[in-house]
Structures are given as structure tokens and as C-alpha cells.
Amino acid sequence: MLALRLSLGAQPAVQVRRLLVAGASAGTGFLLLSALGHALTHPDPSASALRLAWCAAPLAATVYLAVAVARTDPATRPRPGLSAVGLGPAKLMAISAATTALSCLLGSALALLVFLQLRGDLTGMPLGGGAREFLAADRPLPMPAALTLLAVVPLSAAAAVAVTLRPREPVTGAGRAGRVYGRFGAYRRTPMLESFGAYGRFGRQLGAAARGRRTAGAPAGDQQDGTGAESAEGAGPEPADGSGAVVPPVVPTAAPSGLPWGVTVLAVGLAVEALTSRTGSGDGPAALLGLVLTCLGLALVGPGLTHLCGRLLQAFRPGALRLLAGRVLMTEATRIGRPLGVVSAVVAAAYAMASLHDHEDPSAGPLVVLGVLLVAGCTVATLLTAAVEAKQAHSGTTESLRRLGAPAASLRRAAALRAGALLVLFGPLTVAVAELSAWPLGG
């Protein structure tokens, strides 16, 4: 009941994202029921199993979207005072999983109603033509099997949300980049003992920072006589244009470690596809394996390329605008780069798989279009949701910049610069990989 009350009392933007999850669940449920209908009308189990296996991609895209939406849900975010009334991190995780399951159950129920309507079970007028092949309108629908298939999406999404949002113990040792926490939460490369006088020196360092003393390019907490307060606030070098604009309080993280592995997997996938094109087996399992490896590599290089894009924006005497855009990209490389890489992989795979479309099976045409639209829509919605999550994570930074007098137009220009830089980097890469993958598959 608490999950239902939180779902109904959410903001309109949150409700829209939950409706997207419900719609994706409805599309995936309809594809699963279509595979069941095809199995009822065709005695060959291999063809039906293949159709059921193709539903794995829409299922994964739906679960991916559900996890992204759950991460941005403000109703289940830990807040002060909730633990006193029994809503600790574990309880909030359970509520978020239950809310996700409710959204997916709504979509599964909608898929069942639409499928029964097209079969004619509700009105007695089944859909004719090639649709009868996957609707199995002349055969009774086994309801236990249908309900079992429809339960896959809610259970998978709820389990993924529970695993992703599970409470984790705080890390007291080394951080991601081999550093430990120093004074006032700043990163340091070496451990350092705190003294009582550090609190007095903290105010003196704030005054020094206000007088414009910044260390160009120094890592956080590496000042000789300071406490790391400047780096904790993210003070950066003076802009090259001498405008004195304030650099955002963002401490860039280390580069993601998946870029070399992603490049390796991408190269292996392209090599396998090139080999199959030379041997004349462009439509065999080896070509599909090469396509899978290529898409996996393209998805893995997303965070690393996003971090690299942030570094390139700050190269060659940057101003305050490029520093702001570049540092945010470096900080949010994993959060934004992972769904961006998945979107690029989906686009490349859809372009390559277009050459394998079977035009002799008219009943599979609408289902193929539905599957492609579902996977593409879920990945794009996940990317937009990740952008919303990044905006929420930097809401304090944005408010600090506005209090310091940064104009809103500058913040919008920085966001546009980040989007343009990512499009310039990922756009040609996606097109090139899609073209290289389509050649062997197209024969």
C-alpha cells in the first residue's frame, strides 16, 4: 500500500517515466504472447524457440529502462528522518522494487487485453490476414502459460531494481582511483591524520580561496599547507580568457577502465565479420556472433569515450564554458556514457540486421517493427533518464553557481556544448560501425 501511495502521489514527470516503463512492459509482453501463439500453430519447436529467444533483447531493454527510472525516483531516495519511522535504505529499496513491479504489471495486463482483443476472445471478431499466424485465433489460449510469460517482465525488473539499489556498506579505505578520503571528504593520494587545528585552518583556506589562490591542474587535497577544502569545492584553474568566471565545484573522477576492453572486443567483432564476408557465410552464426561482439564492444567503450570527450573539451587553453562542460562530462562519464554506448550499439545493430529481414514471412513484419521500436525507444528513454539523473546529482552545483552570479544562459550553453561534443564523437563512430557490420550480413 505504501508503494501504491508513493506511486500515485509522485510528480507528473515521474509519472511519465513510470508510464514509459509500463508501455515498454506492454510491448515486451505482447511479443512474448506472440511467441506463444506461434508455438500453438506451428509444430516445429525450433522456430518457436527462436522467436522466443528474440524477445530477450526487448526484455533486456525494458529492464534497463526500469532500473534507470527507479534510480531517478525522488520518492524512494533516502532523506533525513525517514529511518526514524522505519523507512531505512532497505525499506526504500523494497518500495522502489514494488513500485517498478506495479508499473510492469500494468503493462503486462494491457498486453494481455490487447492480445485477447486481437484474437477475438473478447469481441468474437479475430484479426485476419497474416496476423492469425502468431495470434492462434483458432486454438484455445493456455492461460497458465500466458500468465507465466507475462510475469517474466515484472519479476525481472523488480529483481534488477532490488540488486541495483541494494544498501551498500560505506567504503572507508581506498577509493576507485586508489586514493583515500582526506580532510572534509576531499580525495587524497596518501593517507593523512587529522588534527584539531585543521578545523581552524579550514576558515583560513576559505579566505585564501576567495582571494583567488588556485592551483592549476592540482589534484584534490594535494596542496602543501591546505586542508583540501579548495579541491572539495572543485576550484579549478583561472580561465584562459581572464574573465574571472567561477569554475564549477566538480572534482573529475578517474577515467573508466573499460575502454581498452571495449576497443578489443569491437576489433574482434569486426574481424569476425570481415572473415565471414570473405568466406561467403555472411548470414551464418559466425556473422551474428561478430555482430554481437561488435555491439558489445561499442557499448563498453561508451564511458571511456565520454571521459575522453570531456578531456578534449578542456584542451588548448579552455575558457570557463569549456571547463564547465568538460568537467561535468568527466565526472558523469559512467552515468551518461554507458547508456550512450548502448544507444550506439542498438542503432548499429538495427542498421545491420535490416539486411537479414525475412520478406517471405509477412506475419513477422509487424513484430519485427515492434521489437525494433521497443528496443530503440527504451534505450533512448534510458539515455534521457540518465541525463535527468545527472542533472539531479549536480543540482547543488548548479545552485551554487547561480548564487555566485553565473548566468542561466551560460549553464544552458554548457549543456548544449556537452550534447554537441558527444554527438560529434559518437555519431560518426556509430555510422562507421553500422556500415562495417552491414557489409558481411548483406552478402
Side-chain angles (χ1 to χ4, degrees):
M1 289 301 297
L2 181 58
L4 182 60
R5 292 180 61 183
L6 290 176
S7 301
L8 296 178
Q11 299 177 356
V14 180
Q15 298 287 15
V16 169
R17 292 196 290 267
R18 290 172 180 170
L19 287 178
L20 289 177
V21 175
S25 177
T28 305
F30 187 83
L31 290 177
L32 291 172
L33 292 177
S34 301
L36 176 61
H38 185 273
L40 293 176
T41 56
H42 291 78
D44 186 10
S46 60
S48 301
L50 181 60
R51 288 207 173 195
L52 187 61
W54 278 112
C55 297
L59 175 62
T62 303
V63 173
Y64 194 38
L65 175 61
V67 171
V69 170
R71 288 171 60 93
T72 58
D73 193 348
T76 56
R77 188 175 302 158
R79 292 183 295 276
L82 290 182
S83 298
V85 295
L87 294 179
K91 184 68 172 181
L92 291 177
M93 178 270 294
I95 292 176
S96 181
T99 303
T100 303
L102 287 175
S103 300
C104 294
L105 282 175
L106 177 62
S108 297
L110 179 62
L112 181 60
L113 289 178
V114 172
F115 190 78
L116 293 178
Q117 173 69 25
L118 294 179
R119 278 174 47 91
D121 294 339
L122 299 181
T123 60
M125 298 177 62
L127 191 66
R132 299 181 63 89
E133 293 292 331
F134 63 86
L135 291 176
D138 54 346
R139 295 175 179 269
L141 181 67
M143 194 56 63
L147 294 179
T148 301
L149 288 176
L150 291 177
V152 171
V153 180
L155 292 178
S156 301
V161 169
V163 171
T164 303
L165 302 182
R166 70 187 185 277
R168 295 177 175 87
E169 293 294 332
V171 180
T172 58
R176 289 189 303 177
R179 298 174 290 185
V180 296
Y181 287 102
R183 295 169 178 171
F184 306 104
Y187 282 113
R188 294 190 62 86
R189 297 187 182 276
T190 56
M192 181 176 180
L193 295 177
E194 290 290 348
S195 62
F196 181 77
Y199 294 94
R201 293 195 300 272
F202 179 64
R204 179 171 61 85
Q205 289 301 320
L206 284 181
R211 290 191 299 270
R213 186 177 62 83
R214 295 182 176 93
T215 303
D222 279 353
Q223 287 82 1
Q224 295 180 357
D225 59 344
T227 62
E230 290 181 33
S231 298
E233 292 294 329
E238 288 287 348
D241 54 6
S243 60
V246 180
V247 179
V250 177
V251 179
T253 59
S257 58
L259 183 59
W261 291 103
V263 173
T264 302
V265 174
L266 179 61
V268 170
L270 292 176
V272 170
E273 292 184 359
L275 181 62
T276 56
S277 65
R278 295 188 60 180
T279 57
S281 58
D283 56 348
L288 294 179
L289 176 62
L291 178 62
V292 170
L293 291 176
T294 301
C295 295
L296 178 61
L298 194 58
L300 290 176
V301 300
L305 291 181
T306 304
H307 191 275
L308 177 62
C309 186
R311 284 190 175 274
L312 293 178
L313 281 178
Q314 300 177 80
F316 307 108
R317 297 180 60 83
L321 187 63
R322 284 200 288 152
L323 280 176
L324 174 60
R327 287 192 176 188
V328 171
L329 279 182
M330 292 173 65
T331 307
E332 301 297 330
T334 302
R335 181 179 287 140
I336 299 178
R338 185 180 294 116
L340 187 58
V342 172
V343 169
S344 301
V346 168
V347 172
Y351 183 83
M353 291 299 295
S355 58
L356 292 180
H357 179 62
D358 188 7
H359 298 280
E360 298 180 357
D361 188 3
S363 64
L367 298 180
V368 170
V369 173
L370 176 61
V372 171
L373 292 179
L374 184 61
V375 174
C378 286
T379 52
V380 173
T382 303
L383 177 60
L384 297 179
T385 306
V388 172
E389 183 183 4
K391 183 179 179 181
Q392 292 176 354
H394 290 282
S395 59
T397 300
T398 305
E399 293 299 327
S400 300
L401 290 174
R402 289 178 178 175
R403 286 196 302 267
L404 291 173
S410 298
L411 300 178
R412 290 193 295 267
R413 285 197 296 269
L417 180 60
R418 293 195 299 269
L422 292 175
L423 181 61
V424 169
L425 180 61
F426 281 88
L429 176 64
T430 304
V431 173
V433 173
E435 289 288 345
L436 291 176
S437 301
W439 284 343
L441 293 179

